[in-house]
Structures are given as structure tokens and as C-alpha cells.
Amino acid sequence: MEHFLLQLFIFLVSAAIAVPIAKKCGLGSVLGYLIAGIVVGPAGFSLINDVDEVMHFTEFGVVMMLFLVGLELRPSLLWKMRVSILGMGGGQVILTSLAIFSLAVFFINWQYAVAISLILALSSTAIVLQTLQEKGLMETQAGKSIFSVLLFQDLAVIPMLAIFPMLATLAVENSEQSKQQLVDFSLLPPYAEFIATLLAILLVLVIGKFACRPFFRAIASTGIREIFVAAALALVIGISVLMIVVGLSPALGAFVAGVVLADSEYRHELESDIEPFKGLLLGIFFISIGASLNFEYITDSAVLIAAITIALMIIKWSVLLLVGKLFHLKSSERRLFAISLAQGGEFAFVLFQVSKTQGVLPVSLIDPVMSSVVISMFIAPLLFLIWDKVGLEKGTPVEQTLDDVINSKDHKVILAGFGRMGTDVGRFLLSAGIKPVILDHDANNVEVLRKFGFEVYFGDATRLDLLESAGAAEAELLVIAISQENTSKLVDLCHKHYPKLKVVVAVRDREAAFEMMDKGVKNIHRETFGSALQIGQDVLNQLGCDPHSTYRLMKIFQQKDKDMMPELHLNRNEEKNYLALYQQHHFDLEDLIKRTVDPNAQVSDQAWTAKNPEH
């Protein structure tokens, strides 16, 4: 126990030191973890001994990663991006694999060549997406194309995990599989093994489709977040165990479960609860990869590793330029497209580990190729720096039609709270063609609203991790329609972590509006104010007033009230000045309204637009 805690302490401290330094230098978090592993591993201070044991434990981070990937892959998103995902992504993976296989088969047998070519076709999602976001390139045509290719690569990992056991030799496969399986399915007839595997996948689908929602609804109704976190982890672990029992990859089961739950109202809550565990386990996994690098071997085989690295990056660069040309990317965008994806990826470490444990590849082959992948990942941020320095074009934003602009709002507006006020706001936005991400913390309310067809997600919007999961970093606007106490907390959270996010707030009264004005919020709406004006307008109509005139009076009153709010806000702590200002505004309003209804008065009909009706 003491040894385990000491090892864990070393991992966490090394990550806490190395990752911020690496990100400061523009190298990215993955390279930070790898550097930390090198420092604490045998090549550095030799603080970590049993790297393989730690790596087996932290591989569960990969399972969680694929569960989260599945949660993001809603059918509507896949359909919208189908051409770029299947065309560009599929073309890149297939052409790169064929090119590498054609070269590798001259030096190694075909099974090894197939495995190597599939592994090296992948690029680093973590490095590329983080760099593109930091440089503001995600909305360019090249950025969207790169994202499509990375998404296809993430999906391609699933069939790769299924194919790899078929490439292993029978002797190694049997011995290694028996260590991982809780039940030895090799003793069953082939048809029984197939049926058991099929039933396991069907069970995952049934659980995800029918059992998870009532289960999570019951958990959410307790209001205890820790229980929800435990339930989320239990789901992923349980599915992983089921997959291991039938001899399948636990990552495959987790991915399938994620896709099934992608349209669930608990998707964002699940994502935000599992993300920290995934990040921590993946971080330790990458540290263990860095620690496992054999630098003595790298030194002795420097020529071989350099040759593999150069060949890898040239092949991928050439294929990417070809794919970009086939899909009509501009010249500058093709260069960015090729630079971004020319390196190996973090999933290569996962697949190398699977290849090792299942006997797909020998260690003598894994060592030089994995070393080349790491070196290419080190080179990738340097290529981005060179790309910046030489002043290449940044790429052009994607041209959009009106329909594209409306559809692009799917993930750019967040509505926090779908109760009395939020429901009407949400209905209005949806009727205008804008589909916000809607968050509500009442599980029963979410269930009812889902039955009415609203796409509402369960979760507490005042949690930073849930906001991140809902897309606050990329969103343009946040509409807040929750309790006043939580509104204040959420506004502070947004100002601190998402300063560019525009905020529209619904508050209960004038004092609450003043509090929001103190925080710098400009778009404030009092919950009862609009209803009060509508009631007043209806009263005048019932008394026989002309509807056109009552509407004008309502707009005048609304504008004058809006005009006086800043002055009242500045003097709200000076009671005498506050009362004097309020009375003066009231007298001015009465006088304006009298002149408006007086048929002999000369008042512009600009009151109809509520824009300075006095002139």
C-alpha cells in the first residue's frame, strides 16, 4: 500500500510540474506527460520501477476516452459531417495505411505490416485540437477538415481493436487471452462463443437504450452528486467487465454504450462526471509511456528510428496534401491540413500496448516504431511554430448561408434553467430556428419536457465542468433563467472562466437587476416586468382604449424605465437622491404620456419603436 501511494504521488507531482511547463512552451499537455515520464523513469531519476503494472491499470483511461467519444457522436452530427468524415477521414486513413504497408512489407511479414500501417495512420487528437483552438483556427475550412479526419480516426480505433487479435499468432493469442478473460471462452464451440459475444453487445444496447434513463433518473432525484458519479463509473466499469468476459475489447463496449446514450438527457452530466477520471488516468498512462521509453535502445538505433520518423512524416504529409487537393482545399489550407496531421497519435500507444499483450507485434518492432511516434509528436508543435513564423496564410473562415448560420447555433447558445421563464425563452428560440443546449437541474422537469419534445439535459449549470461539457468555451451566448442565488454564482463563474461569453440574465426584480449591473452584466430582464406591462396594456384595452395607442404607451413606459435604470443604479445607496430621481422620472413619464394621448400635442410616432419617443 505504501509503495502504491508513493508511486501515485510521484506520478501526480511530476504531471503537476511538467504539464504547465510544457503548455507554457507551446508543446501541449500530452508531450508534458511524456516528458514527465522520461524524467521520473529509468532514463531520468529512476523513480518509477514497475511501469507495466501501472500501465495496465491506467489503460482504463482509454476506455473512458472512448465512452466520451461515443457520447459526442449523435446521429445528427455524424449525418451533417458525413461527407468530410467518410471522405476526407476515410481517405486519409486508407491511403496512409496502404502507403505505409507497401513500404513496410518489404522489411517485415504482412501481419506485422498491417498492424504497423493501421497504427501509424492515426494522428494526435490531443495535440492538434488544442493547438488549433489556441490559434483560433477551428472555424476555418482547414480546421473543420482536420476535425473531420481526427473524428474518423477516433472511430477507426474501434475496428482496429477488433482486428488486432486476428493478426496475432495462435500460441501467443491463447496464452495472453487467458490472462485477460475471466471466463475461458476458447473451451466453447465456435458458434457458442459467437452467440455469447453477440448477446453481450445486445445487452449493452438494451441497457443503454432502456435501463439507463430510469436508473439515472432515480439517482438524479436524490440530489446527491457523489451517487451520480458512482453510478456513471459503475456503468463504464460494468460494461468493460462484460466485454472482457466474452473476450472483446472493453473500449469497444464503452464506445457502443456512449453512442447509445448520446441522445440521453444525462449526456452532459455523464461527460462532466467521467472527464476528470479519464483525464487523470490518461495522464498517468502517458507518463508511464514516457517512462517506458528505452533511451539506451534509441541511442543505439538512432539511424533506424530517424529513418522511420522521416518516412512516417513524409508519407503522411504527401497523402494529406493529396486528400486536401481531392477535396478542393485551397493551397494554404492544404499546407495547414498536412502539417497538422503528419505526426503519430496518442492512440498509437494504446494500440502498441494491445499489440504487445495480444502478441500482435514483437517488442523488438514496437520499440523503434513507438520511439518514432513519440519523436514525431515532439516535432509536431515545432512545425506549428515554424508555420506561424514564416507567415503562412491563416486560412479563411467557412462561408455560410443563412441556413448555415441558423444551424450553427446548435451548440453556440446555452440556456440555463427551463422552468417558468426558461421554457418560454426556449420555445421562442426554437421557433426561430435556434437550438440551444438546455440545462435544468430538476430530473422530473427534464423527463416531462423531454416527453414534449424538448432537448433538455439534466445538470447543475453552476458547475464549471458541466458548463465545459455543454460547450461554454465555444458558445456565443448564455441565457440564465435560474434562481437569483445561483444566477449570481453562474455570472461570476462565466466572467472568470469565459470572459468572451455574452450573458443574458432574467432577474426577479429591480434590486436583483442592480446586483447584476454591479457585476457588469448589460443584458438584464426582470421576470415580472414584461408580464406587468402586458397586463396593464390589456387593462387599458378592456377599458375601451385603442389597441394601437395602448401599445404605444406600453413601449414608451418600457423605454423610459430602461433609460432611468443606470441613474437609479448609481444612486441606489443614496436614499434622498434615489427618491428624487425616481420622482422626477415619474413626473417626466406622466407628462410624456399626457402629450402622447393629447390629439393636439406634437409627439413623433417614433414611440412606436421605443427609441427616444420625445424627439
Side-chain angles (χ1 to χ4, degrees), residues 57-100:
F57 170 71
T58 56
E59 281 177 359
F60 189 62
V62 179
V63 174
M64 291 185 172
M65 175 189 283
L66 285 169
F67 178 73
L68 294 178
V69 169
L71 282 178
E72 291 295 325
L73 297 181
R74 291 179 297 169
S76 58
L77 175 63
L78 291 176
W79 181 252
K80 187 183 296 184
M81 300 178 64
R82 62 191 182 280
V83 175
S84 55
I85 292 175
L86 295 176
M88 302 187 78
Q92 182 273 327
V93 171
I94 292 172
L95 292 177
T96 303
S97 298
L98 288 175
I100 295 175

Side-chain angles (χ1 to χ4, degrees), residues 4 63 66 108 129 162 198 239 252 254 281 300 302 304 329 331 355 359 375 377 454 477 495 510 522 547 564 595:
F4 172 77
V63 174
L66 285 169
I108 53 180
L129 287 187
L198 184 62
I239 291 172
L252 173 63
L281 289 173
D300 294 339
L304 172 63
L329 290 181
S331 177
S355 301
I375 293 171
M377 291 175 69
F454 293 107
L477 192 68
H495 284 342
R510 182 172 292 163
K522 296 181 180 179
M564 76 176 179
R595 291 190 291 115

